[in-house]
Amino acid sequence: MARFKFRLEKVLKVREIQEEQSKFKWAREERMAHEERAKLARLKEHEQEIREFGYGQGEVLLRQAMYEYLENLDRKVQRQTERVAKQEEAASHAKKQWLKARQERKKVSILRTKVYASFVKEELNKDQKVLDDMRSRVLS
């Protein structure tokens, strides 16, 4: 049986590498989005702690300082919320890129499978033809 050689083997390797790279990029973006969400959660938790502490205070000056601090903290929460949205968008885009790369790799992989099946069928037909020729010579 002859050796199978897929002409697009290098293309398949490139597609596999592209898929792997895009998969790692998506994982990195997703991890960064998770970290941004965790920062936002910590900021909100801190804001809640400050509110609880400040509302328990009787002094006007302390409450005034708390309100100023809460305004500053609220701006930080707003900026962090924007960062989270931006990072989630980046993660979503990276996932779409990974899925597209995976689909492209699968196309070439399926083509390789079909070409290999065709090759095997052709080789079996050749072998059968040789056996038939041998049989016809023996019988004649």
Side-chain angles (χ1 to χ4, degrees), residues 92-126:
S92 174
H93 179 70
K95 184 176 183 179
K96 287 177 186 175
Q97 291 298 106
W98 169 55
L99 292 174
K100 184 179 177 185
R102 190 170 119 192
Q103 184 179 27
E104 292 298 318
R105 192 244 338 133
K106 277 187 174 183
K107 285 179 186 176
V108 179
S109 182
I110 289 170
L111 179 62
R112 183 184 191 281
T113 303
K114 287 180 180 180
V115 169
Y116 181 72
S118 175
F119 168 78
V120 168
K121 185 177 178 183
E122 191 175 305
E123 287 298 311
L124 289 174
N125 285 342
K126 285 179 185 177

Short mmCIF file of all heavy atoms in Angstrom, two decimals, residues 92-126:
data_model
loop_
_atom_site.label_atom_id
_atom_site.label_comp_id
_atom_site.label_asym_id
_atom_site.label_seq_id
_atom_site.Cartn_x
_atom_site.Cartn_y
_atom_site.Cartn_z
N SER A 92 -15.51 38.46 24.60
CA SER A 92 -16.51 37.97 23.65
C SER A 92 -15.93 37.94 22.23
O SER A 92 -16.12 36.97 21.49
CB SER A 92 -17.74 38.85 23.71
OG SER A 92 -18.66 38.49 22.72
N HIS A 93 -15.23 38.99 21.87
CA HIS A 93 -14.60 39.05 20.54
C HIS A 93 -13.55 37.94 20.39
O HIS A 93 -13.48 37.28 19.34
CB HIS A 93 -13.97 40.42 20.33
CG HIS A 93 -13.28 40.57 19.02
ND1 HIS A 93 -13.97 40.64 17.82
CD2 HIS A 93 -11.96 40.64 18.70
CE1 HIS A 93 -13.11 40.75 16.84
NE2 HIS A 93 -11.88 40.75 17.34
N ALA A 94 -12.75 37.74 21.43
CA ALA A 94 -11.72 36.70 21.38
C ALA A 94 -12.36 35.32 21.25
O ALA A 94 -11.84 34.45 20.53
CB ALA A 94 -10.84 36.77 22.62
N LYS A 95 -13.49 35.12 21.92
CA LYS A 95 -14.17 33.82 21.82
C LYS A 95 -14.68 33.61 20.40
O LYS A 95 -14.57 32.51 19.85
CB LYS A 95 -15.33 33.74 22.81
CG LYS A 95 -16.01 32.40 22.81
CD LYS A 95 -17.09 32.31 23.85
CE LYS A 95 -17.70 30.91 23.86
NZ LYS A 95 -18.75 30.79 24.89
N LYS A 96 -15.24 34.65 19.79
CA LYS A 96 -15.71 34.53 18.42
C LYS A 96 -14.55 34.20 17.48
O LYS A 96 -14.70 33.37 16.57
CB LYS A 96 -16.38 35.83 17.97
CG LYS A 96 -17.73 36.04 18.59
CD LYS A 96 -18.32 37.38 18.18
CE LYS A 96 -19.62 37.64 18.93
NZ LYS A 96 -20.16 38.98 18.65
N GLN A 97 -13.40 34.82 17.71
CA GLN A 97 -12.21 34.55 16.89
C GLN A 97 -11.77 33.10 17.06
O GLN A 97 -11.38 32.44 16.10
CB GLN A 97 -11.07 35.50 17.24
CG GLN A 97 -11.31 36.93 16.84
CD GLN A 97 -11.47 37.09 15.35
OE1 GLN A 97 -12.58 37.29 14.86
NE2 GLN A 97 -10.40 36.99 14.62
N TRP A 98 -11.81 32.61 18.29
CA TRP A 98 -11.42 31.23 18.56
C TRP A 98 -12.38 30.26 17.86
O TRP A 98 -11.94 29.29 17.23
CB TRP A 98 -11.38 30.95 20.06
CG TRP A 98 -11.24 29.50 20.38
CD1 TRP A 98 -10.27 28.65 19.95
CD2 TRP A 98 -12.12 28.72 21.18
NE1 TRP A 98 -10.49 27.38 20.45
CE2 TRP A 98 -11.62 27.40 21.21
CE3 TRP A 98 -13.28 29.00 21.90
CZ2 TRP A 98 -12.23 26.38 21.92
CZ3 TRP A 98 -13.89 27.98 22.60
CH2 TRP A 98 -13.37 26.69 22.60
N LEU A 99 -13.68 30.53 17.97
CA LEU A 99 -14.66 29.65 17.33
C LEU A 99 -14.49 29.66 15.81
O LEU A 99 -14.63 28.62 15.16
CB LEU A 99 -16.08 30.06 17.72
CG LEU A 99 -16.43 29.82 19.19
CD1 LEU A 99 -17.81 30.41 19.50
CD2 LEU A 99 -16.37 28.36 19.55
N LYS A 100 -14.17 30.81 15.25
CA LYS A 100 -13.94 30.90 13.81
C LYS A 100 -12.70 30.10 13.42
O LYS A 100 -12.70 29.36 12.43
CB LYS A 100 -13.78 32.36 13.40
CG LYS A 100 -13.63 32.56 11.93
CD LYS A 100 -13.51 34.03 11.57
CE LYS A 100 -13.30 34.20 10.08
NZ LYS A 100 -13.07 35.60 9.73
N ALA A 101 -11.62 30.25 14.20
CA ALA A 101 -10.38 29.50 13.92
C ALA A 101 -10.62 28.00 14.05
O ALA A 101 -10.10 27.20 13.26
CB ALA A 101 -9.27 29.96 14.86
N ARG A 102 -11.42 27.62 15.03
CA ARG A 102 -11.73 26.21 15.23
C ARG A 102 -12.51 25.66 14.04
O ARG A 102 -12.25 24.56 13.56
CB ARG A 102 -12.54 26.05 16.52
CG ARG A 102 -12.73 24.63 16.95
CD ARG A 102 -13.30 24.61 18.33
NE ARG A 102 -14.58 23.93 18.25
CZ ARG A 102 -15.47 23.91 19.20
NH1 ARG A 102 -15.27 24.57 20.31
NH2 ARG A 102 -16.59 23.26 19.06
N GLN A 103 -13.45 26.46 13.54
CA GLN A 103 -14.24 26.06 12.39
C GLN A 103 -13.35 25.90 11.15
O GLN A 103 -13.49 24.94 10.39
CB GLN A 103 -15.33 27.09 12.14
CG GLN A 103 -16.27 26.73 11.03
CD GLN A 103 -17.35 27.79 10.83
OE1 GLN A 103 -17.14 28.96 11.14
NE2 GLN A 103 -18.48 27.38 10.32
N GLU A 104 -12.41 26.83 10.96
CA GLU A 104 -11.50 26.75 9.82
C GLU A 104 -10.62 25.50 9.91
O GLU A 104 -10.37 24.84 8.90
CB GLU A 104 -10.64 28.01 9.74
CG GLU A 104 -11.40 29.26 9.39
CD GLU A 104 -12.05 29.21 8.02
OE1 GLU A 104 -11.40 28.73 7.07
OE2 GLU A 104 -13.22 29.63 7.91
N ARG A 105 -10.15 25.19 11.11
CA ARG A 105 -9.33 23.99 11.29
C ARG A 105 -10.16 22.74 11.01
O ARG A 105 -9.70 21.80 10.36
CB ARG A 105 -8.77 23.94 12.71
CG ARG A 105 -7.69 22.89 12.87
CD ARG A 105 -7.94 21.75 13.80
NE ARG A 105 -8.91 21.90 14.82
CZ ARG A 105 -9.83 20.95 15.05
NH1 ARG A 105 -9.90 19.86 14.32
NH2 ARG A 105 -10.71 21.09 16.02
N LYS A 106 -11.41 22.74 11.46
CA LYS A 106 -12.27 21.58 11.24
C LYS A 106 -12.53 21.36 9.75
O LYS A 106 -12.60 20.22 9.30
CB LYS A 106 -13.60 21.74 11.98
CG LYS A 106 -13.54 21.35 13.42
CD LYS A 106 -14.92 21.37 14.04
CE LYS A 106 -14.87 20.84 15.45
NZ LYS A 106 -16.21 20.78 16.05
N LYS A 107 -12.68 22.45 9.01
CA LYS A 107 -12.91 22.32 7.56
C LYS A 107 -11.77 21.55 6.90
O LYS A 107 -12.00 20.62 6.13
CB LYS A 107 -13.02 23.70 6.91
CG LYS A 107 -14.32 24.41 7.16
CD LYS A 107 -14.28 25.77 6.48
CE LYS A 107 -15.48 26.61 6.81
NZ LYS A 107 -15.39 27.95 6.21
N VAL A 108 -10.54 21.95 7.21
CA VAL A 108 -9.38 21.30 6.60
C VAL A 108 -9.25 19.87 7.13
O VAL A 108 -8.90 18.95 6.38
CB VAL A 108 -8.09 22.12 6.85
CG1 VAL A 108 -6.89 21.42 6.26
CG2 VAL A 108 -8.24 23.52 6.27
N SER A 109 -9.56 19.67 8.40
CA SER A 109 -9.47 18.34 8.99
C SER A 109 -10.49 17.39 8.35
O SER A 109 -10.17 16.24 8.05
CB SER A 109 -9.71 18.44 10.50
OG SER A 109 -9.59 17.20 11.09
N ILE A 110 -11.69 17.88 8.13
CA ILE A 110 -12.72 17.07 7.46
C ILE A 110 -12.30 16.75 6.04
O ILE A 110 -12.46 15.62 5.56
CB ILE A 110 -14.09 17.77 7.52
CG1 ILE A 110 -14.63 17.76 8.94
CG2 ILE A 110 -15.08 17.13 6.56
CD1 ILE A 110 -15.84 18.63 9.16
N LEU A 111 -11.74 17.75 5.36
CA LEU A 111 -11.23 17.52 4.00
C LEU A 111 -10.16 16.44 4.00
O LEU A 111 -10.15 15.56 3.15
CB LEU A 111 -10.70 18.82 3.41
CG LEU A 111 -10.13 18.73 2.01
CD1 LEU A 111 -11.21 18.29 1.03
CD2 LEU A 111 -9.53 20.06 1.60
N ARG A 112 -9.26 16.50 4.98
CA ARG A 112 -8.20 15.49 5.09
C ARG A 112 -8.80 14.10 5.29
O ARG A 112 -8.37 13.14 4.66
CB ARG A 112 -7.27 15.82 6.26
CG ARG A 112 -6.10 14.85 6.37
CD ARG A 112 -5.27 15.17 7.62
NE ARG A 112 -4.04 14.46 7.63
CZ ARG A 112 -3.89 13.18 7.98
NH1 ARG A 112 -4.94 12.47 8.31
NH2 ARG A 112 -2.70 12.62 7.97
N THR A 113 -9.81 14.01 6.13
CA THR A 113 -10.46 12.73 6.39
C THR A 113 -11.10 12.18 5.11
O THR A 113 -10.97 10.99 4.81
CB THR A 113 -11.54 12.89 7.48
OG1 THR A 113 -10.92 13.41 8.66
CG2 THR A 113 -12.21 11.58 7.80
N LYS A 114 -11.75 13.05 4.36
CA LYS A 114 -12.39 12.62 3.11
C LYS A 114 -11.35 12.18 2.08
O LYS A 114 -11.52 11.17 1.40
CB LYS A 114 -13.24 13.75 2.54
CG LYS A 114 -14.52 13.99 3.31
CD LYS A 114 -15.32 15.12 2.70
CE LYS A 114 -16.60 15.36 3.48
NZ LYS A 114 -17.40 16.45 2.90
N VAL A 115 -10.27 12.95 1.98
CA VAL A 115 -9.21 12.60 1.03
C VAL A 115 -8.57 11.27 1.43
O VAL A 115 -8.27 10.43 0.59
CB VAL A 115 -8.16 13.73 0.94
CG1 VAL A 115 -6.94 13.29 0.18
CG2 VAL A 115 -8.77 14.97 0.29
N TYR A 116 -8.37 11.07 2.74
CA TYR A 116 -7.78 9.82 3.21
C TYR A 116 -8.71 8.63 2.90
O TYR A 116 -8.25 7.57 2.45
CB TYR A 116 -7.47 9.88 4.70
CG TYR A 116 -6.83 8.62 5.22
CD1 TYR A 116 -5.51 8.30 4.88
CD2 TYR A 116 -7.54 7.71 6.00
CE1 TYR A 116 -4.92 7.13 5.32
CE2 TYR A 116 -6.96 6.55 6.45
CZ TYR A 116 -5.65 6.25 6.11
OH TYR A 116 -5.08 5.10 6.55
N ALA A 117 -10.00 8.82 3.13
CA ALA A 117 -10.96 7.74 2.83
C ALA A 117 -10.94 7.41 1.34
O ALA A 117 -10.97 6.23 0.95
CB ALA A 117 -12.36 8.14 3.27
N SER A 118 -10.86 8.44 0.52
CA SER A 118 -10.78 8.23 -0.92
C SER A 118 -9.49 7.50 -1.29
O SER A 118 -9.48 6.60 -2.13
CB SER A 118 -10.85 9.58 -1.63
OG SER A 118 -10.66 9.43 -3.01
N PHE A 119 -8.39 7.87 -0.64
CA PHE A 119 -7.10 7.23 -0.89
C PHE A 119 -7.16 5.75 -0.52
O PHE A 119 -6.71 4.88 -1.29
CB PHE A 119 -6.01 7.94 -0.08
CG PHE A 119 -4.71 7.21 -0.03
CD1 PHE A 119 -3.84 7.25 -1.10
CD2 PHE A 119 -4.35 6.48 1.10
CE1 PHE A 119 -2.63 6.57 -1.06
CE2 PHE A 119 -3.16 5.81 1.14
CZ PHE A 119 -2.29 5.84 0.06
N VAL A 120 -7.72 5.45 0.64
CA VAL A 120 -7.82 4.06 1.09
C VAL A 120 -8.69 3.25 0.12
O VAL A 120 -8.33 2.13 -0.26
CB VAL A 120 -8.39 3.99 2.53
CG1 VAL A 120 -8.77 2.57 2.90
CG2 VAL A 120 -7.38 4.54 3.52
N LYS A 121 -9.79 3.83 -0.30
CA LYS A 121 -10.67 3.14 -1.24
C LYS A 121 -9.94 2.87 -2.56
O LYS A 121 -10.04 1.76 -3.11
CB LYS A 121 -11.92 4.00 -1.50
CG LYS A 121 -12.93 3.33 -2.37
CD LYS A 121 -14.17 4.21 -2.52
CE LYS A 121 -15.18 3.53 -3.44
NZ LYS A 121 -16.35 4.38 -3.66
N GLU A 122 -9.21 3.85 -3.02
CA GLU A 122 -8.47 3.69 -4.27
C GLU A 122 -7.39 2.61 -4.13
O GLU A 122 -7.20 1.78 -5.03
CB GLU A 122 -7.83 5.02 -4.65
CG GLU A 122 -7.24 5.05 -6.03
CD GLU A 122 -6.73 6.44 -6.39
OE1 GLU A 122 -7.50 7.40 -6.30
OE2 GLU A 122 -5.54 6.52 -6.75
N GLU A 123 -6.70 2.60 -3.00
CA GLU A 123 -5.67 1.58 -2.78
C GLU A 123 -6.27 0.19 -2.68
O GLU A 123 -5.71 -0.77 -3.22
CB GLU A 123 -4.88 1.90 -1.50
CG GLU A 123 -3.93 3.07 -1.63
CD GLU A 123 -2.85 2.83 -2.68
OE1 GLU A 123 -2.21 1.76 -2.66
OE2 GLU A 123 -2.66 3.72 -3.53
N LEU A 124 -7.41 0.08 -2.03
CA LEU A 124 -8.08 -1.22 -1.95
C LEU A 124 -8.53 -1.69 -3.33
O LEU A 124 -8.44 -2.89 -3.65
CB LEU A 124 -9.27 -1.15 -0.98
CG LEU A 124 -8.91 -1.02 0.49
CD1 LEU A 124 -10.17 -0.82 1.33
CD2 LEU A 124 -8.13 -2.24 0.97
N ASN A 125 -9.01 -0.75 -4.14
CA ASN A 125 -9.40 -1.10 -5.51
C ASN A 125 -8.19 -1.58 -6.31
O ASN A 125 -8.29 -2.54 -7.09
CB ASN A 125 -10.06 0.08 -6.21
CG ASN A 125 -11.47 0.33 -5.74
OD1 ASN A 125 -12.09 -0.54 -5.14
ND2 ASN A 125 -11.98 1.52 -5.99
N LYS A 126 -7.04 -0.92 -6.13
CA LYS A 126 -5.81 -1.35 -6.83
C LYS A 126 -5.41 -2.74 -6.39
O LYS A 126 -5.06 -3.60 -7.22
CB LYS A 126 -4.67 -0.38 -6.55
CG LYS A 126 -4.77 0.94 -7.28
CD LYS A 126 -3.60 1.83 -6.91
CE LYS A 126 -3.71 3.21 -7.52
NZ LYS A 126 -2.59 4.09 -7.09
#
